[in-house]
Each structure stands twice: as C-alpha cells, then as structure tokens.
Amino acid sequence: MRLSELGEFALIDRVSRGAVCGDVGRVVRAIGDDAAVVLAPDGLLLVTTDLLVEGVHFLRDRISPRQLGRKLLTVNLSDIAAMGGVPRDAWFGLAAPAETPVEELDELFEGLKELATETRVNLLGGDTSLSPHGLVLSLTLVGSAPPEEVLLRSGARPGDHLVVTGSLGDSAAGLRLLLEDPGTVPGTAAEALRRAHLEPRAALAEGRVLATTGGVRAAIDISDGLASDLGHVCRASGVGAVLEVTSLPVSEDLVAACRVLGEDPHRLALTGGEDYRLLAAVAPEAVQRVSEAVAEATGRPLTRVGEVVAGIGVELRWPDGHREEIAGGGWDHFVASAGERA
Ligand code: ADP
Ligand code: MG
C-alpha cells in the first residue's frame, strides 16, 4: 500500500500504537491531543534534536527502514549520553512522498519503537507532512540529569587526559564499503564495518558513569570525527589539545579493511564521522578511577588518546616524531570541499 492510499491520520494511528515505551507514570496525555502533557523528570531537562535527510544523511537503498528508525533515535541518544543524562521522551517529525510504501514506514516505526523500548523512551508526539522529494526524519529527545551531573563541552583544563569510549573510524570505513565495495576486504571485517555505520550504538551507560564518577570536566559525542569534535571542546573550553596518533583506538576490522583499501586507519579514526563514541577530558588524578568505573559498568575500556594543553588548536603527534596542527577536518554540511556524505 502507498502512503497516499493510507492517509495522514491512519499513519499517525500506526505510529502512536505502543509508543509510550518508557516511564508511563509521568505521561498525562501522549499522542492524540494538541500537545503532550507530561510531568517533568527530576532535575535539569536536556533537550536535543536531529534531522536525517534522504540523500544527505542516508541512502534509502543502503540502510533498512528498521536500521534507519533505530539510527534516528541513536543519534539523539548519543547527544543525551554526551551530556551525562538519562533519555526520557521523544517527538518524531516525518515528511514522506505520497508514493512511499506504508510497509517501509511501518518497519521504520518498529525500529524506532524497538530502540525506544530498550532505552525506556516515551514517544509522545510529532508532526507529519507530505514531502516533494525523499524522506525527511526529525527527532527531538528530552532527557534529564541532576544539575551537578551535567557534562558540558566547556570544562576542560590544561593537564586533563583525553579519553574515548570504543574504537574510532569503523563507521567511516563501513560507509565507504557501502558506497563502493571493492569486494576484497575480508567478509567478516566488511560486514562488521558496514554494521558499525548502519547500526551505531549510543554510549548511554558510559555517559552516565562519566557524569557520576567525578573528575570528568568536559565531554562531547563524536559524530563529525574526533578531530572536529575535539576542536569544539577546545574552543568551548578555551584550551588546546595534543593527540597521540598511534594511541587512537582502531579495531582489527578497520586495520584489515584499510590494508585493502589503501587507507590509513589512524586518519580514518581522526576524521571519520558517525562513530558516536564519547570523548571526555578527565582530571589526571581521576583517570584511573573513571576508567575502572566505565569498564566495570559496561565491560568496555576507555582509551587515552591525548592531553589538554594551554593555548589553542589541536596538534597531532605522529609516531615518526613529526607534529601537525589541524583545523577541523570533520564534517561541515555547508562547506563544499568537505565532500559528499551518505
Ligand atoms: P496538529 O494539527 O495539532 O499539528 P496533528 O494532526 O499533526 O495535530 O497531530 C495529531 C497528534 O498526532 C498529535 O498528538 C501529534 O503529536 C501526533 N503526531 C503527528 N505526527 C506524528 C508523528 N510523526 N509521530 C508521532 N506523533 C505524531
Ligand atoms: Mg501537525
């Protein structure tokens, strides 16, 4: 069935079924009125929103609707994770062409609600429109955190250690394999990298531990690439940073794929987007404690990648001793030279 045969209100009916996936107790009125009515969670509200536009953020023939629904929520969960918060309630904006198959949207809603259930997020409303070209998805997510536990970009100080959760560069390599697979990357590595791109995970548990253990002075999620996102932390904090290139966490799958693709895994780890790991600046005396707490809570280690220094800019230290100043190097939607992104 096409969307034009189903109509807007039947579509909203489908999206609203089973949409209150989290804490029902706070919800006074969910989908179906002019506005949702909800008791504010305790503490500060964290509010974030992200757009996914067909042809800009995703290629509809490379990602399944279920993966897309999950990714739409994931990119927002990652922002809440970076602030150290707990995700609570979501609003979903959808613009779709009239000829869109309803089955495709149903699968997208399923993916969205599946992850909402896993992360206890209520879907409390949204808006729906016809789109003349392609799918446009937007999600607004509200989270919460006690005031003393919110992690900002702006608290990093010289001497802090820079740590990241998980490996870097996998998603960028996965995207490359989705766009032009030479067929020569070992099958299991290629599959794992494609999944890293199509099914990223938000570091929610890691974010909570970073926020509650003490000693973490700033954090950001790595959506545009480590180099670019570290630049944001540096500007917000009025500091500079040094990255030890060989210490960047690269997976075996990435190394295996890069051998075939002729890429440098550490370059991809520096500039590749959409890994959704967290980068944090941690007071030196707290690094050990924070690392142990994250490993204990999540089973995943933190990796130290560099240090915060006085001054401005990000400096790379390569194993041969040479140093490089970098300016950004991540994704900018409006700078043509940044190339194309799926
Ligand atoms: P209005 O005319 O006030 O904008 P709508 O008819 O657009 O109302 O929406 C009716 C109800 O359906 C509202 O509760 C709204 O939040 C919800 N809704 C509309 N579109 C979506 C969507 N894509 N996802 C979730 N809820 C939606
Ligand atoms: Mg509306």
Side-chain angles (χ1 to χ4, degrees):
M1 200 199 316
R2 311 259 150 201
L3 186 49
S4 53
E5 298 163 67
L6 183 73
E8 178 183 341
F9 299 107
L11 184 76
I12 293 175
D13 217 42
R14 285 160 110 100
V15 84
S16 61
R17 247 173 264 153
V20 182
C21 303
D23 178 5
V24 186
R26 283 185 305 104
V27 182
V28 180
R29 190 76 177 96
I31 293 175
D33 214 311
D34 295 315
V37 183
V38 56
L39 281 173
D42 290 341
L44 297 179
L45 289 182
L46 313 172
V47 188
T48 182
T49 192
D50 266 296
L51 270 178
L52 295 186
V53 178
E54 181 178 346
V56 179
H57 301 92
F58 65 94
L59 297 170
R60 212 152 141 200
D61 59 349
R62 306 292 155 90
I63 188 165
S64 75
R66 174 179 299 273
Q67 288 170 327
L68 185 58
R70 292 184 66 101
K71 195 163 176 178
L72 175 66
L73 181 52
T74 298
V75 298
N76 285 282
L77 290 170
S78 181
D79 285 321
I80 297 295
M83 304 294 289
V86 176
R88 302 283 187 182
D89 305 314
W91 283 262
F92 171 38
L94 168 69
E99 66 273 14
T100 309
V102 170
E103 297 72 27
E104 185 182 353
L105 296 176
D106 275 341
E107 202 188 315
L108 191 155
F109 300 160
E110 255 175 54
L112 177 59
K113 287 180 211 168
E114 189 181 81
L115 184 56
T117 305
E118 288 166 28
T119 53
R120 294 188 45 77
V121 168
N122 298 315
L123 179 58
L124 294 187
D127 201 16
T128 305
S129 166
L130 179 69
S131 161
H133 306 288
L135 279 181
V136 179
L137 312 170
S138 131
L139 194 112
T140 300
L141 182 61
V142 173
S144 67
E148 65 283 5
E149 290 175 8
V150 172
L151 298 172
L152 304 178
R153 296 177 178 184
S154 53
R157 295 185 215 160
D160 288 352
H161 293 220
L162 292 168
V163 297
V164 296
T165 64
S167 59
L168 296 172
D170 293 342
S171 177
L175 172 60
R176 171 132 182 225
L177 291 171
L178 283 166
L179 293 176
E180 29 149 350
D181 188 351
T184 44
V185 173
T188 54
E191 178 59 25
L193 296 171
R194 279 193 293 264
R195 284 174 78 100
H197 183 76
L198 297 172
E199 301 175 14
R201 200 193 128 260
L204 280 171
E206 290 88 336
R208 282 301 292 152
V209 175
L210 293 176
T212 53
T213 308
V216 177
R217 293 199 172 122
I220 191 169
D221 69 319
I222 306 176
S223 54
D224 293 339
L226 174 63
S228 172
D229 291 319
L230 173 57
H232 294 313
V233 171
C234 288
R235 274 186 294 280
S237 301
V239 295
V242 172
L243 286 177
E244 302 289 345
V245 174
T246 44
S247 70
L248 299 183
V250 289
S251 69
E252 284 175 23
D253 293 328
L254 180 65
V255 173
C258 283
R259 220 172 277 137
V260 176
L261 295 171
E263 292 264 8
D264 178 349
H266 291 103
R267 278 262 169 226
L268 277 186
L270 270 174
T271 59
E274 298 201 271
D275 283 313
Y276 300 104
R277 308 302 190 186
L278 301 182
L279 165 70
V282 186
E285 65 277 9
V287 171
Q288 175 94 9
R289 180 162 43 89
V290 171
S291 296
E292 283 170 7
V294 170
E296 193 182 331
T298 68
R300 290 177 287 268
L302 292 179
T303 306
R304 184 184 183 282
V305 294
E307 195 181 322
V308 178
V309 297
I312 51 165
V314 175
E315 182 183 288
L316 302 180
R317 295 205 176 144
W318 291 87
D320 64 3
H322 101 266
R323 294 174 179 203
E324 188 182 334
E325 274 288 323
I326 47 168
W331 180 254
D332 183 325
H333 270 274
F334 298 105
V335 177
S337 65
E340 237 181 283
R341 176 187 214 169

